[in-house]
């Protein structure tokens, strides 16, 4: 056996410094890795030799990439080329589009931990429509209230937790709690930043889909990403033009749905007109319904465990599972979980059970929910008629009236923008505004969501969402979700089931 570290990410400024200190060379590109790995299946030479050849013949490597990836259709070869991007000054709304791509990695500036300074994106659509004054005036009102709320919330949080306030090392924690609730009033136009890592295959998909987007900002993000990557690796990013599939499909579906269900077209046009009065119908928690799920999910999980541990067909394993008494099914599932610790995922057999939730969530809650990228998450646009989520702490400091006053101003601005703009009015909506989403997960993923989002350190909005999902899931599939709960509660849940402590405990918070 021989293992070789073939390469790793370097900061682009380090690469430029190394290039300046060496003679001119063409092989400073991830394309050589893609080309050499593409040859593995048909060339008997060792991989490290194939890499050496690719570095010596970069143009030939590029021709090889084009042939293998695009003519022969082996697109996975492009996945060996990896890129890192800094995205600075993009709106919160655009970040939602960026982070839809499942197989990329993101680390985002958090509005929970950083004090916002009022920076925002003025959308091109708003400028072209001559509505910049309305937009900026509304943003100013939102940002002014953010600063007022933060100061009041900071004093409130420190007063509610005197034991933490007495420790200067805990002040940043308390200030973070104040910031996370004050941010509900700022807009989706608020600037953010993130680091993104993705391979060339996903990069090409991002560029192609962004080219078909309606928002100018998102199209510009895709254009700049493509130009930067193309300079380094022109042979593995070729299919970048928008396709009819990306550009026209959902609009065609919308038109067909409205033709099939005529009342939808009238209701959608009237929803914005009622938005200004809807702000009073606020809520401090998400609305969750379990709208679909695996029939006989507990039995299917037991069948999967039997199937994994025998030579029976799945059909026969399911028949046996249904014949077992409930106590026997429970014992089998408890056996499967007996060595589980708070950091362990559920076994893959849990993926045989599916659940679909319909949720009404705030933009703040959605910003966290969207990070569970391996789930299926389908969204409707933000809809002022769904009301807003007001943090309980804002209510506690008597900030409700000021909060709703700015929401009312925001909804009026949204209506004015929506009348004039085909796209882009949603930029003015706040983190408190809500949207309806469908979330389809398997039981294994729901364990992950619950462990992370029901933990005591989780933000309260998504913690409420995860708690409601857990209760609904456990009600329908009590055996599948025997150990479901937040990370901090895992020892207690484990003790209730097994009568003993788990081996490891979550780190104290």
């Amino acid at each position: 056996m021989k293992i070789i570290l073939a390469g790793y990410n370097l900061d682009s400024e380090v690469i430029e410094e190394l290039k300046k200190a060496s003679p001119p060379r063409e092989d400073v590109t991830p394309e050589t890795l893609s080309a050499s790995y593409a040859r593995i299946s048909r060339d008997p030479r060792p991989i490290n030799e194939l890499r050496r050849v690719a570095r010596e013949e970069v143009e030939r490597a590029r021709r090889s990439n084009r042939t293998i990836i695009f003519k022969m259709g082996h697109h996975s070869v492009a996945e060996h080329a990896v890129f890192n991007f800094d995205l600075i000054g993009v709106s919160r709304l655009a970040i939602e589009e960026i982070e839809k791509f499942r197989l990329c990695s993101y680390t985002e500036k958090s509005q929970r931990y950083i004090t916002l300074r009022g920076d925002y994106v003025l959308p091109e659509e708003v400028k072209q429509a001559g509505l910049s004054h309305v937009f900026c005036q509304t943003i100013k009102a939102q940002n002014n209230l953010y600063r007022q709320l933060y100061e009041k919330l900071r004093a409130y949080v420190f007063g509610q937790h005197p034991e933490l306030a007495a420790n200067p090392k805990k002040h940043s924690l308390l200030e973070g709690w104040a910031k996370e609730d004050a941010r509900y009033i700022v807009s989706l136009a608020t600037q953010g930043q993130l680091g993104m890592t993705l391979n060339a295959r996903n990069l090409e998909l991002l560029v192609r889909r962004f080219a078909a987007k309606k928002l100018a900002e998102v199209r510009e993000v895709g254009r700049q990403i493509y130009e930067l990557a193309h300079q380094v690796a022109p042979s593995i990013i070729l299919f970048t033009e928008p396709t009819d599939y990306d550009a026209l499909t959902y609009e065609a579906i919308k038109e067909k749905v409205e033709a099939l269900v005529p009342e939808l077209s009238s209701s959608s046009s009237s929803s914005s007109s009622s938005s200004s009065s809807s702000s009073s119908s606020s809520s401090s928690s998400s609305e969750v319904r379990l709208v679909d799920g695996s029939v006989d999910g507990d039995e299917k999980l037991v069948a999967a465990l039997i199937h994994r541990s025998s030579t029976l067909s799945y059909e026969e394993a399911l028949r046996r599972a249904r014949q077992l008494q409930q106590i026997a099914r429970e014992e089998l599932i408890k056996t499967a979980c007996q060595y589980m610790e708070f950091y362990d995922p559920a076994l893959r057999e849990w993926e045989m059970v599916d659940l679909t939730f319909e949720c009404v969530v705030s933009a703040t809650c959605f910003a966290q929910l969207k990070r569970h990228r391996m789930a299926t998450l389908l969204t409707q646009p933000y809809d002022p008629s769904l009301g807003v989520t007001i943090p309980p702490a804002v209510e506690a400091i008597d900030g409700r009236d000021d909060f709703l006053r700015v929401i009312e101003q925001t909804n009026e601005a949204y209506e004015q923008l929506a009348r004039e703009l085909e796209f882009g009015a949603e930029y003015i909506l706040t983190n408190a505004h809500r949207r309806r989403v469908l979330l389809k997960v398997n039981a294994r993923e729901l364990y992950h969501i619950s462990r992370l989002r029901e933990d005591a350190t989780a933000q309260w909005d998504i913690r409420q969402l995860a708690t409601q999902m857990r209760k609904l899931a456990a009600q329908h599939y009590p055996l599948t979700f025997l150990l479901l709960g937040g990370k901090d509660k895992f020892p207690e849940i484990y003790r209730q089931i097994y009568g003993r402590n788990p081996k490891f405990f979550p780190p104290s918070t």
Side-chain angles (χ1 to χ4, degrees):
M1 178 184 290
K2 185 177 183 180
I3 311 295
I4 299 172
L5 178 61
Y8 47 86
N9 294 355
L10 288 176
D11 188 299
S12 63
E13 294 185 6
V14 172
I15 294 173
E16 290 303 314
E17 290 172 5
L18 293 173
K19 285 168 65 176
K20 289 177 182 178
S22 69
R25 54 192 303 171
E26 298 295 326
D27 61 347
V28 186
T29 170
E31 294 167 301
T32 58
L33 282 172
S34 291
S36 58
Y37 284 2
R39 295 173 182 170
I40 290 174
S41 61
R42 302 188 184 191
D43 194 315
R45 287 176 292 180
I47 303 172
N48 58 317
E49 185 175 339
L50 295 176
R51 287 194 290 107
R52 178 185 58 77
V53 171
R55 291 195 306 273
E56 292 173 352
E57 302 175 349
V58 174
E59 281 307 316
R60 183 181 175 188
R62 286 174 171 162
R63 290 195 300 271
S64 175
N65 281 335
R66 293 187 183 101
T67 298
I68 293 171
I69 297 173
F70 301 105
K71 291 186 179 179
M72 299 174 64
H74 298 305
H75 294 271
S76 60
V77 170
E79 295 174 19
H80 296 295
V82 177
F83 300 83
N84 306 95
F85 290 94
D86 303 335
L87 283 75
I88 302 169
V90 290
S91 72
R92 187 68 172 260
L93 190 64
I95 288 173
E96 289 187 358
E97 293 295 328
I98 293 164
E99 293 187 3
K100 281 183 178 178
F101 293 84
R102 285 171 163 162
L103 302 180
C104 308
S105 300
Y106 314 96
T107 302
E108 182 183 345
K109 169 185 174 180
S110 173
Q111 294 181 351
R112 296 178 68 186
Y113 306 121
I114 296 174
T115 305
L116 300 177
R117 303 299 179 189
D119 298 325
Y120 62 93
V121 169
L122 178 57
E124 189 64 30
E125 294 85 354
V126 173
K127 289 190 285 187
Q128 292 294 330
L131 295 170
S132 298
H133 176 68
V134 172
F135 190 90
C136 295
Q137 189 177 48
T138 305
I139 295 287
K140 182 179 179 180
Q142 294 167 349
N143 290 338
N144 284 341
L145 183 56
Y146 167 81
R147 289 186 286 270
Q148 295 170 27
L149 287 175
Y150 171 61
E151 292 302 325
K152 293 179 181 179
L153 286 166
R154 186 182 185 278
Y156 170 76
V157 170
F158 272 70
Q160 291 293 109
H161 302 277
E163 71 288 350
L164 295 177
N167 183 354
K169 293 182 179 180
K170 299 295 184 180
H171 286 189
S172 61
L173 174 66
L174 297 175
E175 289 168 350
W177 291 348
K179 292 171 189 174
E180 73 176 28
D181 283 351
R183 65 173 164 160
Y184 274 74
I185 201 60
V186 301
S187 74
L188 299 177
T190 301
Q191 287 188 7
Q193 64 178 10
L194 69 151
M196 178 174 68
T197 301
L198 71 173
N199 62 49
R201 186 177 190 178
N202 286 300
L203 189 154
E204 183 187 80
L205 177 64
L206 181 150
V207 169
R208 186 168 66 246
R209 286 190 176 168
F210 277 17
K213 291 296 182 180
K214 305 299 185 182
L215 294 179
E217 182 191 10
V218 177
R219 294 197 303 273
E220 179 63 13
V221 168
R223 185 190 68 79
Q224 291 193 31
I225 286 176
Y226 169 70
E227 288 186 354
L228 291 168
H230 187 262
Q231 294 171 14
V232 178
S235 72
I236 50 179
I237 308 168
L238 293 181
F239 294 150
T240 59
E241 293 300 315
T243 67
D244 288 345
Y245 184 68
D246 291 329
L248 304 178
T249 297
Y250 277 110
E251 191 61 34
I253 292 172
K254 182 176 184 293
E255 291 176 1
K256 180 61 69 175
V257 168
E258 290 181 351
L260 294 172
V261 191
E263 61 269 24
L264 287 180
S265 57
S266 59
S267 64
S268 62
S269 63
S270 63
S271 62
S272 63
S273 63
S274 63
S275 64
S276 61
S277 61
S278 67
S279 58
S280 60
S281 60
S282 58
S283 171
S284 62
S285 63
S286 304
E287 300 171 6
V288 183
R289 294 189 302 131
L290 180 62
V291 296
D292 196 14
S294 297
V295 177
D296 299 329
D298 283 348
E299 289 85 351
K300 288 178 179 176
L301 172 58
V302 171
L305 293 170
I306 293 173
H307 185 272
R308 171 66 176 81
S309 307
S310 70
T311 58
L312 297 177
S313 68
Y314 178 75
E315 184 179 34
E316 178 64 16
L318 183 58
R319 188 181 71 82
R320 299 288 184 90
R322 286 171 172 160
Q323 289 177 340
L324 292 175
Q325 297 292 321
Q326 181 78 348
I327 188 66
R329 296 183 195 134
E330 182 175 346
E331 286 301 316
L332 179 56
I333 290 176
K334 286 169 67 175
T335 299
C337 298
Q338 63 182 322
Y339 302 116
M340 180 182 283
E341 301 293 345
F342 71 90
Y343 51 76
D344 286 318
L347 299 175
R348 285 198 177 187
E349 283 74 13
W350 264 252
E351 295 179 14
M352 299 297 290
V353 181
D354 293 323
L355 308 93
T356 301
F357 297 94
E358 184 179 55
C359 314
V360 177
V361 298
S362 70
T364 298
C365 186
F366 180 77
Q368 299 164 89
L369 185 62
K370 74 179 188 296
R371 296 174 189 169
H372 296 277
R373 299 190 300 277
M374 298 314 293
T376 299
L377 186 58
L378 307 178
T379 63
Q380 293 181 356
Y382 287 104
D383 183 357
S385 70
L386 294 174
V388 293
T389 297
I390 304 178
V394 171
E395 302 266 14
I397 62 169
D398 296 325
R400 177 186 176 89
D401 290 345
D402 288 338
F403 195 95
L404 289 179
R405 174 180 52 77
V406 173
I407 291 295
E408 191 80 13
Q409 181 179 349
T410 299
N411 288 346
E412 291 172 0
Y414 173 79
E415 288 182 17
Q416 186 173 350
L417 292 168
R419 285 195 298 268
E420 301 294 331
L421 303 178
E422 186 177 3
F423 305 101
E426 61 270 36
Y427 274 102
I428 201 64
L429 298 179
T430 68
N431 283 330
H433 280 88
R434 308 169 92 190
R435 73 191 324 174
R436 186 176 283 112
V437 304
L438 278 180
L439 174 69
K440 180 177 178 291
V441 294
N442 60 50
R444 191 185 195 205
E445 175 67 9
L446 188 57
Y447 263 91
H448 171 67
I449 292 174
S450 176
R451 291 272 178 83
L452 183 65
R453 302 304 184 180
E454 281 198 272
D455 185 72
T457 61
Q459 191 262 347
W460 62 266
D461 201 349
I462 198 166
R463 188 166 63 240
Q464 290 184 358
L465 174 70
T467 298
Q468 292 178 70
M469 290 195 294
R470 170 178 56 81
K471 290 178 178 178
L472 289 169
Q475 177 183 338
H476 287 80
Y477 309 106
L479 299 184
T480 300
F481 295 111
L482 270 178
L483 278 80
L484 194 64
K487 181 180 64 177
D488 60 318
K489 295 293 192 295
F490 181 81
E492 177 186 338
I493 297 169
Y494 190 95
R495 275 194 302 271
Q496 290 177 355
I497 294 172
Y498 294 101
R500 63 180 188 275
N501 288 327
K503 187 175 181 180
F504 297 102
F505 280 74
S508 59
T509 57

